[in-house]
Each structure stands twice: as structure tokens, then as C-alpha cells.
Amino acid sequence: GSDLIHWIARRIRCAKPEAAHIALMLYKHGYFFSVDRDDSIVKEDNTLFRFQTPHLWPSQSFDDSDFAYSIYLVKQVKKSKNRVIKLADYQVASLRYLQKHLKSHWSDINYRADEEVRIIKEQKKIARNLLESQEKAFWRLRRPPPDESKITDCVLTKFGMERKK
């Protein structure tokens, strides 16, 4: 956190409070993510942050459809058989809803999830962890917990744009 705030302050030549605010806005918009925490704050501490891969930035039109989200959730369940990864309650509810809603596509979703899990397993541990944390950060922004607002919808509404379905 403090490294990020100092970096922004030096980069754009501003005071620390402004740099902290800019860091928070960049974080909430998904341009970087916390390596250590899942909360949505940036403060001057030892928290590590990574820049999100550019193709997952909100300004890109990456697929965040129900189909893609289903694949992500199914992958998490499949990986949890090997090690402990638990879905949050809201994700379990989403998975149940999507199973019902996308019933006719469920075999395709399972196949894609199996393939992606196989590809991830072939990666080195560091690359695998990085890919998983990038994907988790992407979906946390696009499909946040019920108690968090979805900043991408707020921004689109502010500029009179509609979210892609």
C-alpha cells in the first residue's frame, strides 16, 4: 500500500492524500489488485498490490457473461477437490442460479472448466498463482459480493452508457 501510494505521488507529483485517493480509484476500477487481502481499501501499510493484466482492465471488453462466470465458478469448485478453495455464499447462490439458467449449456461449461483447470495445472506455481489472483480480482470487480457496489455499472450509468449483456 505505502509503496503504491509513494509511486503514484512521485509519478504524478502530488501529495500523499491525493495519491492515496487516486490509488483507491484505480483499485476500485480494477487496474490493480491486492495480493494479500480481499477488502476494497488502499491504505499506507505493507499490503502488496499487482497491476492487473491489461486485457482484464474494465476499459477492455472482456467477456463477463453468465457463461464465462459459470466457467470461473465451476473451475473453483473443481480446484477445491485438490486443495481448500471455498466459494463465498453469494457465489454458491450464483452457481445454483446459473446451473438452472444455463442448463442447456452446462456440459459445455464443464468441458471448458476442465480444460482451463488442466492448462492451469501445467503452469509453474508462481504463474498459476498469478493467473488465479488476476482472475479472482477480475470477477470480484465484475460480480462483487452483494454488500459491495459494482463500480463498473456506476461509471457506465454516469456517462449514459449501458452495460453489455
Side-chain angles (χ1 to χ4, degrees), residues 23 35 73 90 119 124:
V35 173
L73 293 174
Y90 78 97
I119 290 168
K124 291 184 179 176

Side-chain angles (χ1 to χ4, degrees), residues 63-78 87 91-103 105-114 116-117 135 138-139 143:
D63 183 16
D64 66 348
S65 65
D66 285 348
F67 188 85
Y69 189 50
S70 297
I71 293 169
Y72 168 72
L73 293 174
V74 170
K75 279 189 337 190
Q76 299 311 305
V77 169
K78 289 179 183 290
L87 294 177
Q91 291 174 318
V92 171
S94 292
L95 182 59
R96 286 188 188 129
Y97 168 78
L98 292 168
Q99 280 176 318
K100 239 186 277 183
H101 182 69
L102 300 172
K103 186 174 16 179
H105 301 286
W106 209 250
S107 62
D108 294 334
I109 290 167
N110 269 309
Y111 175 75
R112 293 262 311 267
D114 285 337
E116 289 185 25
V117 167
E135 190 176 36
F138 172 82
W139 286 114
R143 305 283 175 117

Side-chain angles (χ1 to χ4, degrees), residues 31-55:
Y31 290 98
F32 57 86
F33 59 91
S34 171
V35 173
D36 306 328
R37 298 191 316 239
D38 282 338
D39 56 0
S40 58
I41 59 170
V42 176
K43 59 184 176 182
E44 235 180 308
D45 61 7
N46 293 329
T47 303
L48 297 175
F49 290 91
R50 283 193 179 275
F51 280 97
Q52 182 62 285
T53 184
H55 78 272

Side-chain angles (χ1 to χ4, degrees), residues 93-159:
S94 292
L95 182 59
R96 286 188 188 129
Y97 168 78
L98 292 168
Q99 280 176 318
K100 239 186 277 183
H101 182 69
L102 300 172
K103 186 174 16 179
S104 61
H105 301 286
W106 209 250
S107 62
D108 294 334
I109 290 167
N110 269 309
Y111 175 75
R112 293 262 311 267
D114 285 337
E115 284 302 303
E116 289 185 25
V117 167
R118 184 186 58 76
I119 290 168
I120 288 171
K121 283 181 181 177
E122 293 172 358
Q123 301 287 325
K124 291 184 179 176
K125 186 176 181 176
I126 292 174
R128 184 173 55 239
N129 289 342
L130 179 60
L131 288 170
E132 288 173 0
S133 59
Q134 288 172 333
E135 190 176 36
K136 180 180 178 183
F138 172 82
W139 286 114
R140 185 163 173 80
L141 175 72
R142 298 298 173 107
R143 305 283 175 117
D147 59 335
E148 290 184 22
S149 63
K150 191 171 180 182
I151 196 145
T152 52
D153 284 348
C154 297
V155 171
L156 292 175
T157 304
K158 181 177 178 181
F159 291 105

